Each structure stands twice: as C-alpha cells, then as structure tokens.
Amino acid sequence: MIVRDVMINNVITISPFATLRQALSLLKSKNIKSLVVEKQSDHDAYGLITYTNILKTVIAEDGDIDLLNVYDVCVKPALSVGESLGLKHVAGLMSQHHVKRLLVVSDNNLVGFVTMNDIMEELMKRID
C-alpha cells in the first residue's frame, strides 16, 4: 500500500494571515481537526495548524484568538511525503516525529493529506 491509496484529496487550506478565530470557525464548520496553511510563493513551504497548536497558544499561553494570526502558531514547514511512498515508511515518519498528519506533495504542490487514522482504517479493512 502507498500514500495515494489512503490520502485525502480534498484538503482545506487557510491563509497564514487569517486570525485564530477564523481558523477555529473553519475547523468547526468543516468538522475537522487541522488546516493546511497556504504557501506565499512557489518556493515557500506549506504549514499546518491543528487543534493542539491553537489550544496550546490560546489556553496555556493565554493568547487572544482575535489578535493572533495563523502564522503565529502554525508548524512550518509541515512534514510532507510523496504520493507513491509506502505506508510503512509514512507510519515510521509519523512515529519518529510524533505527528498524526502529513501533507502529500508533488513538486512542492499540495496534492493531499494523510493521517494516522487513514492508515489505521486501511489496516482494519485487512482484518475483516
């Protein structure tokens, strides 16, 4: 199995200049836990913002969701893989770097998103 077999193609993105309130609103409306932060140029890297990033900033550090922007709290560059990489390598990367989500890119362009849950769902299908 490779990344292409389990990745999500419809990725929700957000501008790095959006406020945390806008990010939270988008997360809530789409019922998702993370957003890909858009590149600002062809040579820039994608970022990733998750509930955990926002929780740490807003609750633990007493940040203001109307004053802070996505770029203030996102992880950039986000870890990424190619769509033809084997899932065993993806699982290894996730484990090694303690992450649950990786971007899927082709020539530095976003083509998808893969999560630990996507890999586990595929594994569970094999058990039935």
Side-chain angles (χ1 to χ4, degrees):
M1 298 292 305
I2 61 174
V3 171
R4 184 181 306 113
D5 298 329
V6 300
M7 73 181 196
I8 298 163
N9 294 308
N10 185 16
V11 180
I12 310 298
T13 63
I14 192 164
S15 165
F17 305 109
T19 65
L20 289 188
R21 180 179 298 280
Q22 292 168 314
L24 283 169
S25 178
L26 187 55
L27 289 167
K28 182 179 178 182
S29 71
K30 300 292 185 181
N31 194 29
I32 54 177
K33 297 180 181 177
S34 60
L35 299 165
V36 174
V37 181
E38 299 164 353
K39 298 186 305 183
Q40 295 305 296
S41 72
D42 289 341
H43 303 291
D44 195 11
Y46 289 99
L48 187 65
I49 187 165
T50 67
Y51 273 166
T52 304
N53 304 118
I54 295 171
L55 180 68
K56 180 182 174 203
T57 302
V58 174
I59 304 299
E61 298 175 11
D62 208 20
D64 187 320
I65 63 173
D66 292 311
L67 295 178
L68 291 169
N69 291 329
V70 167
Y71 68 79
D72 292 321
V73 299
C74 75
V75 173
K76 187 174 179 177
L79 290 176
S80 60
V81 295
E83 58 189 329
S84 62
L85 186 63
L87 290 181
K88 69 178 186 176
H89 300 299
V90 174
L93 276 171
M94 289 177 168
S95 178
Q96 179 182 4
H97 293 282
H98 307 287
V99 296
K100 297 178 184 175
R101 300 162 184 86
L102 296 173
L103 305 185
V104 182
V105 297
S106 176
D107 195 25
N108 201 31
N109 291 311
L110 185 66
V111 295
F113 192 74
V114 64
T115 69
M116 193 169 291
N117 287 344
D118 299 326
I119 296 170
M120 285 303 299
E121 281 180 27
E122 189 60 37
L123 179 61
M124 292 301 198
K125 287 179 188 175
R126 293 181 179 191
I127 291 174
D128 291 340

